[in-house]
Amino acid sequence: MAEKTRTFEVRLKRIEFKTKGQGTARSRTEHTLACTLHWPKAGTQAKTWARAVEMDGMARDYGEADWIDAVLFRDTVAPPTAVTFQLSVPLSSDAVSKAVGAILKAALGVAGDFVEGAMPTKSAGKIATAPFDALASTMTNRSAAVLGQGSLPLDDALLAGGGERAVPLLAVRDLVRETPGSGRSSAPRTRRLAAKGDEVARLLLEFVPR
């Protein structure tokens, strides 16, 4: 019996930070957002996309005119499946490009010109994609680059009918900020921004059947 498949597209409607983990809260920042589908079809353990996200403050809304910045991925799956989102702390522009390339490299298991050629560009909408048969290990839960992570089950009703879903992203470790001490011999002061398991950001997603 053939698998029943659904083709759908996922777009960002809104992204909101409760903390960015570092830097000035309302400053302009760049992040990576990785999306991993788990067992999207028989024989494929996982499939990952990664893209750059640009913020000017703590929240951003995406309208119809922002499609190229809002679209996360489009794929055909055999439900049920699930998707995990992983958001980075603020990174430099170069670090964002390198992180997206590293995720691709880990996903594809190859290096060199192919990965360089698959790097996101402005004309491509700053999005990169690669199918793979094992979870990418580049941004693990132990990585200091990871701000938060969250998952969402995808059933046939959602993929067939579409709709909006909110996904809270939770801190995978305690997030702390160190500031220099007041004197030459004073130890740095540490302030906890979020505890492991706290909500650090939230995605509002739109699912569109295709």
Side-chain angles (χ1 to χ4, degrees), residues 37 40-41 44-49 75 103-109 114 128-136:
L37 274 173
K41 59 188 70 176
T44 302
Q45 181 179 347
K47 194 171 183 179
T48 282
W49 295 259
D75 202 26
I103 292 169
L104 275 176
K105 181 178 176 180
L108 292 166
F114 184 87
T129 179
F132 65 119
D133 294 327
L135 294 178

Side-chain angles (χ1 to χ4, degrees), residues 16 18 85 148-152 165-171 197-204:
E16 182 175 353
K18 296 184 182 297
F85 300 92
Q149 180 173 288
S151 298
L152 178 69
R165 294 290 188 276
V167 181
L169 303 182
L170 308 182
D198 286 352
E199 183 176 330
V200 290
R202 180 173 288 258
L203 307 176
L204 180 61

Side-chain angles (χ1 to χ4, degrees), residues 8-22:
F8 67 102
E9 180 178 291
V10 182
R11 307 173 191 167
L12 275 172
K13 292 286 288 183
R14 178 178 172 85
I15 182 169
E16 182 175 353
F17 287 80
K18 296 184 182 297
T19 177
K20 290 185 176 180
Q22 57 183 247

